[in-house]
Amino acid sequence: MTRATLERRQVWCYLGAVLGGLIVGTLAPGAGHAFEAMVWPVIGLLLYATFTQVPLTTIAAAFKDTRFLTAALIGNFVILPLLVWALVQFLPQDQAIRTGLLLVLLVPCTDWFITFSQLGKGDTARATAVTPLNLVVQLLLLPLYLWVMTGGQFSAVFAPRDIWPALVVVVAPLIAAGLSELWFRADPGRERARDLLGWGPVPLLALVIGLVAAAHVGAVRDALGLLPVVIIAALAFLAAGLALAKIMSVIFGLPATQGRTLAFSFGTRNSFVVLPFALSLPAGWEIASIVIVMQSLVELLGMVFYLWFVPHALFPARGPRT
């Protein structure tokens, strides 16, 4: 199996991981705390493997195409957050559900976004260039978004003493990946190490999803009634991402390949980066992490539709002039 084949079939890997995790958690209900403890180091490895595929030292390259950059930043960090805030107003008055959706829908993806852009005939070079910038901006703005959209309850829910492990799990791999990037660039022969790490995100994310399902099988069972709410919210967001990509592409006069890249950027979210923050929430907030896993699965299934719709219907290739 090639890495491209693995990435094309990742949706089924994650669905199998959920099913396997639920079965294991049901058969071993007393092992929930052990499974939850295992999630943290696996997430750290996942983030490190993923960040090494995002060349952080190429952030400057993202500034070369100002039209595409402006469209991507305005869409991801101005318009979509406003749409997300409007969307959660229609959800049940459950802070755990709302917090989970806010966490996952407010931050653009930095891993499979590039893969789907490539598979969907987008501009992979621009996707790669803008991804590290998206990562830095979202880490800076997410606390502000949460503080504003939760009515100031952000500091009460995300107490520093509870959230610092999540910060370490995100920041440490980011620093390690930055140092690794310098090491890779020092010798072209070391790129093989980066390529080997590129095999890690799909199986590691599948393992994380399976461990979360196994650790919180009771919460998953209790949250089945919320599944329609999460599905509707996730589908509404996916539809909004398509519409916004088309509008921004027209406004900024972007070619079809860049419009496709915008669509995949707006439609994919950074679930694995915010999952540690959801897992660090106090007892009684387990639903937030379940919501994030649910949303990511709906999103990945939605990407199957995106891969057909975006290049063939939304941004079709223009034929030769006659």
Side-chain angles (χ1 to χ4, degrees):
M1 177 185 290
T2 65
R3 179 176 159 189
T5 302
L6 176 64
E7 291 173 342
R8 282 196 298 268
R9 297 176 180 173
Q10 60 185 303
V11 176
W12 313 115
C13 295
Y14 304 142
L15 290 174
V18 169
L19 180 60
L22 293 176
I23 292 174
V24 172
T26 301
L27 295 176
H33 291 296
F35 292 137
E36 188 169 3
M38 292 170 60
V39 169
W40 293 97
V42 178
I43 286 183
L45 291 173
L46 166 64
L47 293 176
Y48 172 70
T50 302
F51 291 157
T52 59
Q53 306 308 299
V54 179
L56 301 177
T57 56
T58 64
I59 291 179
F63 291 93
K64 293 182 179 180
D65 189 336
T66 56
R67 285 192 304 165
F68 175 79
L69 173 65
T70 303
L73 291 180
I74 291 176
N76 272 318
F77 298 109
V78 178
I79 299 176
L80 282 178
L82 291 173
L83 292 176
V84 170
W85 177 83
L87 178 64
V88 298
Q89 306 311 307
F90 296 95
L91 299 179
Q93 294 290 333
D94 187 309
Q95 288 302 315
I97 298 175
R98 292 190 171 196
T99 299
L101 281 172
L102 285 174
L103 277 169
V104 71
L105 294 181
L106 286 171
V107 290
C109 183
T110 57
D111 61 333
W112 57 57
F113 152 58
I114 299 176
T115 299
F116 286 126
S117 293
Q118 181 179 22
L119 295 175
K121 299 180 174 62
D123 192 323
T124 308
R126 281 174 173 78
T128 303
V130 79
T131 292
L133 185 61
N134 278 342
L135 177 62
V136 173
V137 174
Q138 68 185 247
L139 291 177
L140 294 175
L141 291 183
L142 182 59
L144 175 63
Y145 289 149
L146 291 174
W147 184 81
V148 172
M149 296 185 188
T150 61
Q153 298 178 17
F154 166 73
S155 57
V157 175
F158 293 89
R161 65 179 180 278
D162 298 322
I163 202 173
W164 72 264
L167 288 172
V168 171
V169 167
V170 173
V171 174
L174 183 61
I175 294 173
L179 296 174
S180 297
E181 171 70 14
L182 297 175
W183 185 77
F184 295 145
R185 291 168 66 89
D187 183 352
R190 296 172 181 172
E191 284 296 321
R192 176 168 173 74
R194 191 207 299 268
D195 293 338
L196 290 174
L197 287 167
W199 284 82
V202 173
L204 287 171
L205 182 54
L207 181 56
V208 167
I209 291 174
L211 288 171
V212 171
H216 301 289
V217 64
V220 172
R221 192 182 303 115
D222 295 339
L224 288 178
L226 303 175
L227 188 58
V229 174
V230 177
I231 290 177
I232 291 173
L235 291 177
F237 183 86
L238 288 170
L242 291 173
L244 180 60
K246 188 65 175 181
I247 293 170
M248 298 296 281
S249 178
V250 171
I251 291 175
F252 287 90
L254 302 179
T257 54
Q258 293 182 26
R260 295 167 191 160
T261 304
L262 279 185
F264 287 107
S265 178
F266 294 162
T268 54
R269 303 287 92 184
N270 228 356
S271 55
F272 69 96
V273 167
V274 297
L275 186 58
F277 297 100
L279 292 171
S280 69
L281 291 171
W285 289 74
E286 292 83 2
I287 295 300
S289 58
I290 303 303
V291 165
I292 291 174
V293 172
M294 287 181 177
Q295 184 279 335
S296 65
L297 293 175
V298 174
E299 175 185 300
L300 285 165
L301 291 172
M303 286 302 108
V304 176
F305 172 74
Y306 263 53
L307 287 174
W308 171 82
F309 183 78
V310 170
H312 294 99
L314 192 64
F315 295 103
R318 297 183 177 90
R321 295 181 179 179
T322 58

